[in-house]
Amino acid sequence: MTSILSDERQSDGLPDDTSLLPLLLPSPAGQLTRRAFLAESGTTGIAGVLASAPMAASVAAAAPASSNAAPPSSSSSVALNLRVNGKQHALEVDPRTTLLDLLREQMALPGTKKGCDHGQCGACTVLINGRRINSCLALALSYDGAEVTTIEGLARGNELHPMQAAFIKHDGFQCGYCTSGQICSAVGMLREAGQGAPSHVTADVRRTGPVVQLSDTEIRERMSGNICRCGAYPGIVAAVREVSLMPRAGASRRSRA
């Protein structure tokens, strides 16, 4: 029986039971065991690592010292002039600074929010010469000499801008994080409509005159670049609709934006 099993295992390429005995049982003196082999291999590996350490140290010592290397040069500041919320500002900015970071970090105007920082949510919307832009995508130097209006500049003292008052009246916000961008975008959008700019859902894009009355579909399309995670869209649409129907809304928008 033993020979038959042994033949079968050998024919299958498997070791015979008896071939495993030297690894499981103590071996005669002078014969290398499995445990001794593994122990010796580990010791040899550690010795190799220790032996290579002086060589690595010598290579590092031979390398040129990096402490004497000059650090990468930073961009020098550049002069920038902006008229922000009716006040002239002469600034020195890094040429890589975005308009959003300039407003928030250097000009203490935190009303403009940093949401996605990729131009996708609209929370950073401001008005440049009356036109709405995503300030997170705009280099500040690109707008040298421009007129910038942020949410802080829409009101006249204690008198709110009509769009601000309409947002409060119609509960056009919940957490409020996107609200400054929503309001600035709505003000700029109504100015665009007053100048006759069509939208994707405009029935006749050949019209050149002002859009007298905006439907809810038009308002939603034109405001689609501003995202409200709270879902306060019904109040936003109602607020924009109310302001769009105000007498001489276009003239009011141009004079206050």
Side-chain angles (χ1 to χ4, degrees):
M1 179 68 69
T2 303
S3 61
I4 296 175
L5 292 176
S6 177
D7 293 340
E8 289 179 353
R9 295 195 179 198
Q10 290 176 358
S11 64
D12 292 338
L14 297 175
D16 182 22
D17 290 343
T18 57
S19 65
L20 300 178
L21 291 177
L23 301 179
L24 301 176
L25 299 177
S27 61
Q31 183 177 350
L32 183 63
T33 65
R34 179 172 180 270
R35 178 175 296 179
F37 172 77
L38 294 176
E40 185 173 346
S41 299
T43 304
T44 305
I46 294 174
V49 173
L50 295 177
S52 63
M55 182 179 296
S58 62
V59 172
S66 58
S67 59
N68 297 329
S73 59
S74 59
S75 302
S76 58
S77 298
V78 180
L80 172 66
N81 290 285
L82 288 176
R83 184 171 178 83
V84 181
N85 297 330
K87 296 181 180 180
Q88 196 69 34
H89 295 269
L91 305 163
E92 292 287 332
V93 300
D94 187 299
R96 299 164 295 185
T97 303
T98 64
L99 182 59
L100 173 60
D101 289 338
L102 175 66
L103 293 171
R104 289 181 57 84
E105 300 177 10
Q106 294 184 230
M107 304 191 70
L109 294 171
T112 304
K113 303 301 182 184
K114 178 179 285 191
C116 65
D117 207 23
H118 287 79
Q120 297 176 353
C121 72
C124 67
T125 304
V126 298
L127 301 173
I128 299 289
N129 299 328
R131 297 181 63 86
R132 52 181 174 164
I133 68 163
N134 290 327
S135 59
C136 72
L137 298 182
L139 286 175
L141 287 180
S142 300
Y143 296 96
D144 187 28
E147 174 88 24
V148 182
T149 303
T150 70
I151 189 67
E152 292 91 344
L154 287 180
R156 291 178 175 173
N158 294 327
E159 180 188 356
L160 294 177
H161 187 281
M163 190 64 72
Q164 293 173 305
F167 264 69
I168 295 174
K169 175 182 176 180
H170 293 281
D171 292 329
F173 55 89
Q174 289 186 36
C175 78
Y177 194 85
C178 74
T179 306
S180 58
Q182 296 275 3
I183 291 175
C184 287
S185 183
V187 171
M189 182 272 287
L190 291 185
R191 180 187 176 96
E192 295 166 8
Q195 294 173 342
S199 76
H200 181 69
V201 298
T202 301
D204 186 0
V205 297
R206 296 172 296 179
R207 291 186 54 178
T208 56
V211 181
V212 178
Q213 184 172 350
L214 292 173
S215 65
D216 287 359
T217 302
E218 281 273 6
I219 293 174
R220 292 189 185 97
E221 171 63 26
R222 292 170 183 264
M223 291 290 294
S224 60
N226 291 80
I227 298 174
C228 174
R229 297 192 179 191
C230 299
Y233 296 113
I236 294 173
V237 172
V240 176
R241 185 197 315 119
E242 178 176 297
V243 177
S244 69
L245 296 175
M246 288 181 177
R248 299 181 59 82
S252 176
R253 289 193 298 272
R254 286 190 291 273
S255 62
R256 302 190 63 174

